[in-house]
Amino acid sequence: MTAALTLPPDPRLEGTLSVLSPSGELLRPDLVPGDEILLKLYTGMRRARVFDDRAMVLQRQGKLGVYPCFGGMEATQVGAALALQDGDWVLPTYRGTALAMMRGMTLAQILLAWRGHPAGYQVDPKLHILPFYIPIANQIPHTAGIALAEKRRGTGLLAMAFIGDGGTSEGDFHVGVNFAGAFCAPAIFVIENNGWAISTPTSVQTAAKNLASRAEGYGMPGIRVDGNDVLAMYHVTLEAAERARRGEGPTLIEAITYRILPHTSSDDPKRYRQETEADAWRGRDPGMRLRAYLESRGMWSEEQEQDVMKGMEAEIKAAMLEADQAAPIEPEALLEHIYAEPLAEMKDQLAEIRALEALK
Amino acid sequence: MTVAAERQAAQEQVKTMTMVAAVNDALRVALERDDKVMLFGEDVGMGGVFRASDNLQNLFGEERVFNTPLSEAGIMGLAVGLGIAGEKPIAELQFAGFIYPALEQINAQIGRYRQRTQGNFPLSMVVRAPYGGGIHSPEMHADSPEGLVAAVPGVKIVIPSTPYDAKGLLLAAVDDPDPVFFFESIKLYRSVKGEVPTGHYTVPLGKARIAREGDDCTVLCYGGMVEVCEEAAVAAAAAGVNVEVVDLRSIVPLDFETISESVKKTGRVVIVHEAARRMGFGAELSARIAEELIEYLHAPITRVTGWDAPYPPFTAAEHMYRPDAARVAAGIRKVLDY
Ligand SMILES: Cc1ncc(C[n+]2csc(CCOP(=O)(O)OP(=O)(O)O)c2C)c(N)n1
């Protein structure tokens, strides 16, 4: 854990809330959650990371389609997810696999989603997580709408959306966050600021000093947090959630993190950035940070670590078997679920597809 | 460069290029010829996700080749502003499937600007967008919105199918006084190769190309579907059927003269595109042929297209959605057996 001590300070992190230092020293004893939460946060991150590593390997083996990895950014998603209640809504981007795991989507289903199989899109409505959003920022106005619905019904539930730093340039981002503010809707917007939008750094994305400062213009608090510090992330999300449930409206959270891996399995970051930058952020690894803290309190051992790792490997293996057994895609998959009842011409088209497939 | 020097340069070298290399070469020539040309879009500075703009920032600097913030409406509106002010913008939409946030600029402004300023502010601008499927890309990365844009009066739409055409048509688009949308098939980017002159040349907009001659049936297609249709035509030839494959190259303006000649010769028409059938560009083609050439038809017009469904987000089902040679062959059989 000494490597982290030599980390140069990163200007991106200036003014962000941290609970633990990169080497796991406790900076804010007042913000440490209970032991049970600590362990859930740690295992949530560990499991997510193992999945991410395996998914990249599976992609290389041709067993998944294009895969948007998140390794090194898991604290943002895991911390935020654990601060929510059952019934709260989550609107993830394509990079939200850790969120999906935390919200209870099965690994088999996540694998099928990244395999481009319809079963991967059939998210259980009870989980209140929507399928990964591909077009940037479309989820932001939806979040305002869902939050407004919960407000009208007086449920005390909220909606939380994720977006990248690049995504905050889209019109839908501004429109959606503004609506949530205007309607005082119980919403949380998490900007997962990983420094890059494919090859475009945040500094080219905007002239704003930081992204959270925009919140003032939308009439809501804007909070900057060390996104690699899962305890900080958990804390600010919990506060935002309580505010939302008290009827005080939405919060914009800018989580400063870093994408140490490529943008997706088909990207090559060497084309546009210095890998020394990524190396520095490897030293801020969110899992290592919490583990060091847990170990300092005697709450975690190598044995427990191995248990989580082995358990996860076995789970992924089982999930792969399950995913492999998913029904082959039938022509119906193309034309089903577009209308409640297929239109007459669609029935004809279905017959046509079946006939064509039969010829193959 | 003088015209004579250009001609000489064009003759100097011919290279075998992929489609994406031809696009890159066209962009290089356009930037070289005219200082007013600017190239921008998401990740364009580092070469773009398909590398269509590779190395151009190195050659021409960040003032002329640059990354924009992530916003299609912003990119489109920026191009309009630059165009109004007399620059020559070439804007890239990273994927045609992300054109939707830009549709307001396209419909409400780009298509109307010349008329609403009575010709005082013409918009000479080019929008490039990779379109279509065939490479197992994720949801929204395979859309074919050319019909949607074709419904907007005031814009032109070019869709090349060979490296030679890609370069020549793109350079013609840059010279064109009107806004031109240039859709590049993601499938063809690296799968086709051809000889391309390294200098400046243009292929005129609005002239179709007979990709293969035949007199039994006319297949109308463009972009990513041309190779599929040629494959079907080769198979048909083995069975003694001569199919004429017409590569439209641009859908606005449409070379109806070439279409008309072919239809009069064959009397049978199959229209092929990747977009959904309902309100796809094939609907327009079919209507126009029915309106003007009905007495020459020996069979009803047939459309081989995507189904009336979103392009499947399920990559594993792509092969059932995107027309392939077998489906085109079935369409050809249908019009012949009528
Ligand atoms: C509307 C739209 N435009 C373009 C894209 C292509 N695209 C996919 S990811 C991406 C960059 C996103 O960067 P950011 O918002 O910072 O999120 P990150 O991927 O870094 O998590 C782009 C341009 C898209 N998916 N949607």
Side-chain angles (χ1 to χ4, degrees):
Chain A
M1 283 297 108
T2 46
L5 294 172
T6 61
L7 276 180
D10 191 300
R12 295 179 65 228
L13 285 164
E14 212 170 280
T16 58
L17 174 75
S18 295
V19 174
L20 293 177
S21 78
S23 48
E25 287 128 15
L26 190 55
L27 306 172
R28 289 289 302 266
D30 55 322
L31 300 183
V32 177
D35 290 1
E36 198 188 328
I37 297 285
L38 283 174
L39 292 176
K40 274 191 186 162
L41 288 168
Y42 183 72
T43 48
M45 284 197 292
R46 205 74 204 97
R47 286 166 47 80
R49 186 66 163 270
V50 176
F51 181 89
D52 198 56
D53 289 344
R54 287 295 299 160
M56 284 300 266
V57 174
L58 291 169
Q59 199 283 334
R60 301 276 180 253
Q61 293 170 346
K63 291 178 184 157
L64 296 183
V66 175
Y67 175 74
C69 39
F70 58 81
M73 301 168 52
E74 57 270 27
T76 307
Q77 294 182 27
V78 170
L82 210 67
L84 299 189
Q85 297 177 0
D86 283 351
D88 287 340
W89 294 78
V90 175
L91 292 86
T93 72
Y94 46 83
R95 214 179 288 294
T97 292
L99 277 172
M101 286 174 64
M102 292 300 290
R103 292 301 284 182
M105 255 177 89
T106 67
L107 298 187
Q109 218 174 19
I110 294 170
L111 288 167
L112 284 165
W114 293 124
R115 216 175 245 200
H117 191 287
Y121 288 74
Q122 228 161 23
V123 183
D124 181 352
K126 285 200 292 289
L127 298 180
H128 281 204
I129 180 167
L130 294 163
F132 304 117
Y133 277 73
I134 301 276
I136 305 289
N138 288 184
Q139 69 276 22
I140 304 298
H142 300 182
T143 307
I146 292 173
L148 183 59
E150 295 297 354
K151 182 183 169 182
R152 276 172 55 107
R153 296 194 287 248
T155 55
L157 295 173
L158 60 84
M160 177 172 75
F162 270 68
I163 190 162
D165 51 309
T168 67
S169 297
E170 288 278 7
D172 268 8
F173 171 78
H174 302 282
V175 167
V177 178
N178 186 53
F179 268 40
F183 291 123
C184 195
I188 304 176
F189 301 99
V190 178
I191 303 170
E192 201 169 9
N193 184 348
N194 63 15
W196 294 88
I198 312 187
S199 73
T200 307
T202 315
S203 59
V204 173
Q205 205 65 241
T206 177
K209 203 168 98 240
N210 61 58
L211 298 171
S213 64
R214 292 179 174 172
E216 191 183 347
Y218 305 121
M220 64 186 70
I223 293 165
R224 298 186 77 242
V225 59
D226 181 340
N228 280 20
D229 180 348
V230 75
L231 302 189
M233 195 62 212
Y234 175 74
H235 172 74
V236 299
T237 314
L238 204 59
E239 281 207 327
E242 282 164 5
R243 188 178 308 120
R245 293 190 217 287
R246 285 197 302 267
E248 292 167 24
T251 303
L252 182 65
I253 297 173
E254 181 184 9
I256 305 299
T257 180
Y258 190 82
R259 166 165 68 67
I260 48 178
L261 296 179
H263 171 70
T264 64
S265 51
S266 31
D267 173 51
D268 173 13
K270 283 196 223 59
R271 293 171 65 204
Y272 53 81
R273 74 179 190 196
Q274 298 289 329
E275 282 309 286
T276 47
E277 188 184 280
D279 288 339
W281 279 86
R282 281 193 185 91
R284 297 189 183 91
D285 184 275
M288 301 306 287
R289 183 180 307 198
L290 184 54
R291 184 176 170 181
Y293 173 68
L294 293 178
E295 282 173 349
S296 76
R297 284 184 45 185
M299 288 174 66
W300 197 253
S301 64
E302 183 56 30
E303 208 182 339
Q304 281 165 294
E305 179 81 7
Q306 289 310 320
D307 279 354
V308 174
M309 302 278 283
K310 271 192 221 127
M312 195 56 195
E313 287 291 348
E315 262 185 72
I316 295 172
K317 216 179 231 168
M320 273 301 281
L321 282 177
E322 193 185 331
D324 286 344
Q325 279 157 14
I329 303 179
E330 296 296 331
E332 282 78 356
L334 293 183
L335 291 160
E336 250 175 2
H337 303 302
I338 295 173
Y339 299 99
E341 272 299 315
L343 309 181
E345 65 267 32
M346 291 166 74
K347 289 181 189 154
D348 295 344
Q349 291 185 9
L350 186 57
E352 216 180 308
I353 307 174
R354 281 213 196 93
L356 286 160
E357 285 300 297
L359 290 177
K360 284 182 184 164
Chain B
M1 246 195 262
T2 64
V3 175
E6 269 179 2
R7 222 173 258 147
Q8 202 200 340
Q11 282 161 357
E12 261 167 26
Q13 247 191 335
V14 172
K15 271 195 196 159
T16 302
M17 291 186 196
T18 58
M19 181 102 142
V20 71
V23 168
N24 180 271
D25 207 44
L27 295 170
R28 176 188 59 80
V29 171
L31 283 154
E32 229 159 52
R33 288 183 89 218
D34 185 351
D35 287 348
K36 289 203 173 86
V37 172
M38 295 162 88
L39 182 67
F40 54 86
E42 293 154 15
D43 302 293
V44 161
M46 67 109 192
V49 295
F50 290 102
R51 307 213 177 184
S53 51
D54 243 5
N55 203 35
L56 296 176
Q57 192 173 62
N58 290 341
L59 289 174
F60 301 99
E62 289 181 19
E63 301 268 299
R64 297 185 61 206
V65 180
F66 55 93
N67 284 352
T68 62
L70 206 178
S71 167
E72 292 72 21
I75 291 166
M76 210 58 35
L78 187 78
V80 173
L82 287 166
I84 291 169
E87 303 293 328
K88 284 216 141 223
I90 305 178
E92 178 182 281
L93 295 173
Q94 195 160 81
F95 285 87
F98 302 128
I99 201 170
Y100 308 111
L103 281 179
E104 180 171 16
Q105 286 293 336
I106 296 169
N107 201 337
Q109 299 299 333
I110 296 178
R112 295 171 202 244
Y113 222 90
R114 183 184 287 274
Q115 192 190 47
R116 74 184 283 268
T117 60
Q118 290 298 290
N120 281 346
F121 290 96
L123 277 182
S124 176
M125 58 179 275
V126 177
V127 179
R128 295 179 36 250
Y131 91 101
I135 63 164
H136 294 308
S137 47
E139 190 181 0
M140 305 288 297
H141 289 65
D143 280 21
S144 298
E146 69 275 9
L148 222 56
V149 182
V152 177
V155 301
K156 294 177 177 170
I157 301 165
V158 178
I159 312 176
S161 72
T162 68
Y164 180 88
D165 277 3
K167 180 171 174 185
L169 288 167
L170 184 49
L171 285 167
V174 172
D175 287 346
D176 201 88
D178 293 311
V180 181
F181 282 76
F182 196 85
F183 289 106
E184 300 160 11
S185 157
I186 53 178
K187 173 68 174 30
L188 295 185
Y189 265 150
R190 288 176 206 282
S191 70
V192 297
K193 278 192 179 160
E195 297 211 321
V196 177
T198 55
H200 180 266
Y201 67 94
T202 57
V203 172
L205 306 190
K207 288 266 169 285
R209 175 179 74 98
I210 307 291
R212 185 186 171 92
E213 278 187 60
D215 42 28
D216 292 332
C217 159
T218 297
V219 173
L220 301 176
C221 56
Y222 48 84
M225 285 293 106
V226 176
E227 66 169 6
V228 170
C229 294
E230 285 181 309
E231 195 186 328
V234 169
V241 175
N242 293 317
V243 174
E244 181 145 296
V245 178
V246 182
D247 171 3
L248 298 176
R249 294 206 284 205
S250 69
I251 60 173
V252 183
L254 182 66
D255 182 0
F256 201 70
E257 211 176 297
T258 298
I259 295 172
S260 172
E261 272 167 32
S262 182
V263 173
K264 284 176 184 168
K265 179 169 68 172
T266 66
R268 292 180 162 83
V269 183
V270 178
I271 298 168
V272 185
H273 60 60
E274 293 178 64
R277 181 169 303 174
R278 185 172 65 226
M279 300 306 285
F281 192 70
E284 169 66 20
L285 278 173
S286 177
R288 181 106 187 256
I289 293 166
E291 279 167 358
E292 297 187 33
L293 302 168
I294 191 105
E295 69 266 37
Y296 299 97
L297 292 179
H298 307 316
I301 299 161
T302 281
R303 284 180 283 165
V304 177
T305 63
W307 309 109
D308 286 340
Y311 198 97
F314 325 126
T315 41
E318 182 177 52
H319 66 283
M320 290 190 268
Y321 188 90
R322 187 176 189 261
D324 58 9
R327 256 171 84 188
V328 175
I332 293 169
R333 264 196 311 279
K334 193 171 157 196
V335 295
L336 284 165
D337 292 350
Y338 178 76

